[in-house]
Amino acid sequence: MEGYMVQCLHEELNSGSNAAFARACDSLPAPTRRLAAGPGQRSSPWLRLALLSAAAFCGPAAHAADANVAAANADVAIVFAVDFSSSIAPRTADMQREGHAAALTSPEIISAISENYIGCIGVTYFEWSSVGHSRTVLPWTRICGLEDAKAAAAVIRRKGDTGYFRRGRGGTSVSAAIDVGSLLLDRFPGNAMRKVIDISSNGENNDGLPVQPSRLNAIAKGYTINAIAIPPDDEDPKQPLATYFAQSVIGGSQAFVISPTGARDYTAALRRKLVIEVSMNVLFRL
């Protein structure tokens, strides 16, 4: 686990944050700069993240941009990609919307967040269906405690899909969902130890491009794709949707899929999944 987290941090901090780190180090005393650079000018990724955050508070006003970056640092950045295609009936829409809101505010999640290194996660929530049909419900939001989680949950409950207006939404493009999720992670406004796309859907990819190119592209960036597969009413027990997601959709380090059996189980399953995603970083120690 330690080796994986070091690799993950190295990849994240070297994709777009080198300039900010260099500016931050310039504002530190010489001994600290040498500690940050380390032997052969190769810094500890975890130390880089910590020093970048610290420099934002000890640097002059000229480093306001660095302060903004540090303020967005998170242990994990999670994209909630929620299916709202024509197959999502009101009952399923309620299950997804309320399930995410309830999971985010659960004591287990708040505890997992607070026990992590930074103590904050970044989340965004968007709904998707066929190619070109997606909408952002919750833009990137930093959650560092219960009040933040309640505010994010309120937005999801108020703006999330109800399932009553399904005309024109078309099919289920899992590939497009991964592409949009990957783009959102590309644009995460800060640094995160780990970046995850969480897909919630009740169907296989039946619209747009094949899943594999999108899946491989996201994995190549170091992102993890997890899924919660909602069994359709007419599911073939010999070909469960969870198996499709396990074989063709999820990917990246520690990727997994879960399959709930009902509305109540959906919230519990989603909560368990989030605890794993958030708490995974707690296992890392320098």
Side-chain angles (χ1 to χ4, degrees), residues 119-272:
C120 298
I121 65 173
V123 300
T124 183
Y125 182 112
F126 81 95
E127 295 170 339
W128 56 274
S129 56
S130 56
V131 176
H133 288 76
S134 66
R135 72 183 188 98
T136 299
V137 173
L138 177 74
W140 278 118
T141 300
R142 196 166 185 248
I143 297 179
C144 304
L146 181 58
E147 293 306 312
D148 295 337
K150 286 181 177 179
V155 173
I156 292 172
R157 286 190 169 106
R158 184 173 69 253
K159 297 184 177 181
D161 176 47
T162 63
Y164 286 102
F165 303 98
R166 293 181 280 167
R167 181 176 299 176
R169 292 185 181 174
T172 303
S173 183
V174 178
S175 58
I178 294 174
D179 288 339
V180 173
S182 183
L183 181 61
L184 287 168
L185 287 178
D186 292 344
R187 297 176 177 177
F188 178 66
N191 298 305
M193 291 175 60
R194 195 160 181 265
K195 294 185 176 182
V196 180
I197 301 172
D198 266 343
I199 295 179
S200 176
S201 178
N202 71 341
E204 298 182 8
N205 188 72
N206 60 23
D207 184 89
L209 298 174
V211 174
Q212 285 308 306
S214 300
R215 173 181 176 272
L216 294 175
N217 179 60
I219 294 172
K221 293 179 179 180
Y223 304 157
T224 296
I225 306 170
N226 294 330
I228 181 165
I230 305 171
D233 294 334
D234 59 349
E235 181 177 69
D236 182 352
K238 295 181 180 180
Q239 294 180 314
L241 183 63
T243 299
Y244 165 77
F245 273 86
Q247 295 175 345
S248 304
V249 178
I250 68 170
S253 181
Q254 308 294 329
F256 62 96
V257 58
I258 56 178
S259 184
T261 57
R264 183 174 300 179
D265 187 43
Y266 181 92
T267 300
L270 182 59
R271 186 171 62 243
R272 291 193 300 270

Side-chain angles (χ1 to χ4, degrees), residues 38-114:
Q41 302 301 307
R42 292 182 61 84
S43 63
S44 160
W46 188 238
L47 185 58
R48 285 161 61 90
L49 182 56
L51 289 175
L52 180 57
S53 299
F57 293 98
C58 65
H63 297 287
D66 293 327
N68 291 334
V69 171
N73 287 340
D75 293 295
V76 59
I78 303 175
V79 174
F80 294 121
V82 180
D83 188 350
F84 80 145
S85 63
S86 58
S87 64
I88 300 297
R91 177 173 57 86
T92 304
D94 288 345
M95 181 175 68
Q96 293 187 113
R97 187 182 66 253
E98 290 297 324
H100 281 82
L104 276 177
T105 55
S106 67
E108 295 92 336
I109 297 301
I110 300 304
S111 177
I113 293 172
S114 66

